[in-house]
Amino acid sequence: MVDFLATICRVGALILVLGIIFPTSRAMALTSRDASAVVGLIAALQPEFGQFAYDEEIAADWYERDAADKGLIAAAGFTAESWEVALGETVRGFLATIPIAELDPIFGRMKKAISDMEELSDTQKGETISAIDEQIDALMVLRAEGRPFVDIVRPLTPRIRGLILDPTIRQQ
């Protein structure tokens, strides 16, 4: 038991030292310049690459496709890694700016639309609504992760809203 506690203490100390030596936190990397550049790049690339919907694979795909074509992302000063970080933090910050009171009715309408589908069995409806609930939970995690970036992203919110939200929910 003493050996186990000593090991736990050593691991804890190592984690603390690494945190001091390598304080670069992805959570505080976003600048207003980076967020503005990200939004401008989405606007510039979306006509060619299609409607933007964020995930890490799409971020990497957009970087690779742009690098093979115009190189706008690199010209804006981003590497593949810094693009993924800035894009992710910008999107998370944007999601955190959307009031939950605006999101709840959207989620409710989605679930009601599934419940009202006569072509689905009750089992299929339940499974689909469960899948929606999982996506809502994932969105809530992204929103929570975006809280540190809200002040940086807030001035860009109207532009982001116009770029990435479906027209039926843009003006909610």
Side-chain angles (χ1 to χ4, degrees):
M1 182 68 165
V2 173
D3 288 334
F4 176 73
L5 290 175
T7 300
I8 294 295
C9 288
R10 281 193 297 272
V11 170
L14 178 62
I15 291 170
L16 178 62
V17 168
L18 288 174
I20 293 169
I21 294 172
F22 302 107
T24 55
S25 169
R26 288 174 58 129
M28 297 311 291
L30 189 67
T31 65
S32 58
R33 179 237 167 253
D34 288 345
S36 293
V38 163
V39 174
L41 288 163
I42 291 171
L45 296 171
Q46 191 164 256
E48 183 178 345
F49 293 173
Q51 184 66 34
F52 179 79
Y54 174 75
D55 74 21
E56 290 178 5
E57 289 178 18
I58 290 174
D61 177 63
W62 276 40
Y63 186 88
E64 290 171 16
R65 289 171 62 191
D66 177 59
D69 188 23
K70 297 175 187 155
L72 297 176
I73 297 171
F78 293 108
T79 63
E81 182 179 314
S82 66
W83 164 250
E84 287 184 35
V85 170
L87 180 60
E89 291 174 350
T90 300
V91 170
R92 285 175 175 88
F94 167 67
L95 292 173
T97 67
I98 301 172
I100 197 71
E102 182 179 330
L103 293 172
D104 282 342
I106 295 167
F107 301 147
R109 286 192 304 269
M110 289 169 52
K111 291 179 186 181
K112 182 170 180 355
I114 298 300
S115 295
D116 291 346
M117 294 179 83
E118 294 177 8
E119 62 270 19
L120 295 180
S121 70
D122 287 343
T123 301
Q124 290 171 320
K125 290 176 185 180
E127 290 171 354
T128 304
I129 290 172
S130 291
I132 290 171
D133 285 338
E134 287 176 20
Q135 292 300 311
I136 291 169
D137 291 345
L139 179 71
M140 292 302 127
V141 169
L142 293 176
R143 286 184 82 249
E145 291 171 354
R147 285 188 195 117
F149 316 115
V150 166
D151 291 336
I152 293 168
V153 174
R154 190 177 314 281
L156 302 166
T157 297
R159 189 162 181 217
I160 298 169
R161 184 179 286 270
L163 287 170
I164 68 174
L165 287 185
D166 182 280
T168 60
I169 60 173
R170 265 186 211 151
Q171 302 304 320
Q172 298 292 319

